[in-house]
């Protein structure tokens, strides 16, 4: 597996295709809600791709709110789930957060994935709320103690 920081339109389109398959097609999120002003090269956010056997199969992004990195749009194509790719995405985004001096990361995790994030050191910080028709919970992780994945 290979992880790549997205720096060109071609790779960004690959990330968009993964997000559209997972969030729009599988989870029925409205396409106009899935893509936003941070989905451009040069925006105040970093996007990554994970490749498996040369194929882009997972993606995620991070943007910064003061000293906190917010992990967003984390997803993996269905045939490649349960291969450890999610852990690779989270670890890569945490590395980016640390390189930018973030002391903490947070995410709005789907409740069905809360156990996965908890295993990676994330703690629940909110009641369940709905986002794009899907139950979510705010989760955070402190990076200041070197407890990254």
């Amino acid at each position: 597996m290979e992880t790549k920081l997205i720096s060109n339109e071609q790779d960004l389109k690959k990330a968009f295709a993964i997000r559209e398959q997972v969030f729009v097609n599988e989870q029925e999120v409205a396409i106009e809600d899935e893509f936003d002003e941070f989905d451009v090269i040069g925006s105040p956010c970093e996007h990554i791709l994970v490749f498996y056997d040369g194929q882009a199969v997972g993606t995620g992004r991070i943007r910064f709110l003061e000293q906190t990195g917010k992990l967003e749009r984390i997803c993996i194509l269905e045939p490649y789930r349960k291969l450890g790719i999610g852990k690779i995405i989270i670890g890569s985004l945490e590395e980016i957060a640390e390189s930018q001096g973030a002391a903490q990361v947070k995410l709005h995790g789907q409740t069905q994935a809360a156990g996965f994030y908890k295993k990676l050191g994330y703690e629940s910080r909110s009641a369940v709320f709905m986002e794009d028709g899907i139950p979510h919970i705010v989760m955070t992780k402190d990076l200041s103690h070197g407890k990254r994945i």
Side-chain angles (χ1 to χ4, degrees):
M1 281 184 260
E2 174 193 355
T3 303
K4 181 179 183 182
L5 188 64
I6 294 175
S7 61
N8 62 61
E9 292 294 329
Q10 181 180 344
D11 285 339
L12 193 59
K13 286 179 182 176
K14 291 176 185 176
F16 291 171
I18 294 168
R19 286 170 45 189
E20 186 170 347
Q21 176 60 37
V22 173
F23 295 126
V24 177
N25 297 343
E26 288 179 32
Q27 297 184 348
E28 300 179 347
V29 171
I31 196 159
E32 59 271 12
D33 293 336
E34 176 53 29
F35 300 98
D36 61 23
E37 69 272 19
F38 301 110
D39 287 326
V40 293
I41 300 294
S43 74
C45 122
E46 299 284 353
H47 298 257
I48 64 164
L49 277 174
V50 175
F51 293 84
Y52 184 87
D53 285 339
Q55 180 179 341
V57 299
T59 189
R61 74 180 193 190
I62 184 169
R63 62 186 177 100
F64 295 91
L65 312 163
E66 298 179 10
Q67 290 296 310
T68 301
K70 185 168 187 268
L71 283 56
E72 301 175 325
R73 307 305 204 269
I74 298 160
C75 60
I76 302 158
L77 294 174
E78 196 278 329
Y80 301 92
R81 295 176 193 154
K82 309 291 185 198
L83 298 176
I85 295 168
K87 185 175 179 179
I88 290 168
I89 292 170
I90 299 299
S92 296
L93 295 173
E94 288 176 359
E95 283 181 25
I96 293 168
E98 285 181 322
S99 75
Q100 297 293 318
Q104 182 182 66
V105 287
K106 76 175 191 174
L107 53 84
H108 292 182
Q110 294 183 12
T111 55
Q112 54 89 14
F116 164 75
Y117 293 119
K118 189 172 184 132
K119 286 179 188 174
L120 299 179
Y122 287 77
E123 297 178 9
S124 299
R125 298 291 184 204
S126 76
V128 173
F129 61 95
M130 297 300 284
E131 190 169 277
D132 296 319
I134 301 168
H136 283 73
I137 190 163
V138 174
M139 301 185 83
T140 64
K141 182 176 179 179
D142 183 3
L143 297 178
S144 63
H145 302 296
K147 291 184 182 176
R148 194 176 52 75
I149 295 173

